[in-house]
Amino acid sequence: MAYRLGVVTLPTLGLGIVLGAIWAESTWGRYWGWDPKETVSFATWILYAAYLHARATPAFRKAAPYINIAAMLLMIFNLFFINMVVSGLHSYAGLN
């Protein structure tokens, strides 16, 4: 089940990052701004790609579940901590 979700998550998250970059270019005049939300989303995408790679590579197959857990925790971190605590273009920190 984790593998199937990873196979769906990687392209979906990647598509969201690419479409967000296209939208940002038309709105803010730049594709990428190194905003905390953008950066952590990209790091999450990298971890899911590493998970799928580790799962397909026999030498790293034992590390794959740990990479998957790290990716999930980073996604949860992005959802809660980056949105609510860190101030940036994509956050709600400081709103009353």
Side-chain angles (χ1 to χ4, degrees), residues 14-32:
L15 183 65
I17 291 170
V18 169
L19 292 177
I22 292 169
W23 177 84
E25 199 279 325
S26 67
T27 304
W28 296 319
R30 60 185 166 79
Y31 290 103
W32 193 263

Side-chain angles (χ1 to χ4, degrees), residues 54-70:
R55 190 161 150 72
T57 307
F60 297 107
R61 197 168 185 109
K62 287 186 180 180
Y66 302 108
I67 297 170
N68 192 20
I69 290 169

Side-chain angles (χ1 to χ4, degrees), residues 15-89:
L15 183 65
I17 291 170
V18 169
L19 292 177
I22 292 169
W23 177 84
E25 199 279 325
S26 67
T27 304
W28 296 319
R30 60 185 166 79
Y31 290 103
W32 193 263
W34 293 105
D35 186 68
K37 186 79 166 179
E38 297 170 358
T39 306
V40 176
S41 295
F42 182 64
T44 303
W45 185 85
I46 293 291
L47 276 178
Y48 275 111
Y51 163 69
L52 292 177
H53 177 73
R55 190 161 150 72
T57 307
F60 297 107
R61 197 168 185 109
K62 287 186 180 180
Y66 302 108
I67 297 170
N68 192 20
I69 290 169
M72 183 197 64
L73 290 175
L74 191 58
M75 189 176 285
I76 292 170
F77 172 80
N78 196 4
L79 178 64
F80 291 109
F81 187 78
I82 297 297
N83 276 348
M84 304 299 180
V85 178
V86 177
S87 181
L89 293 172

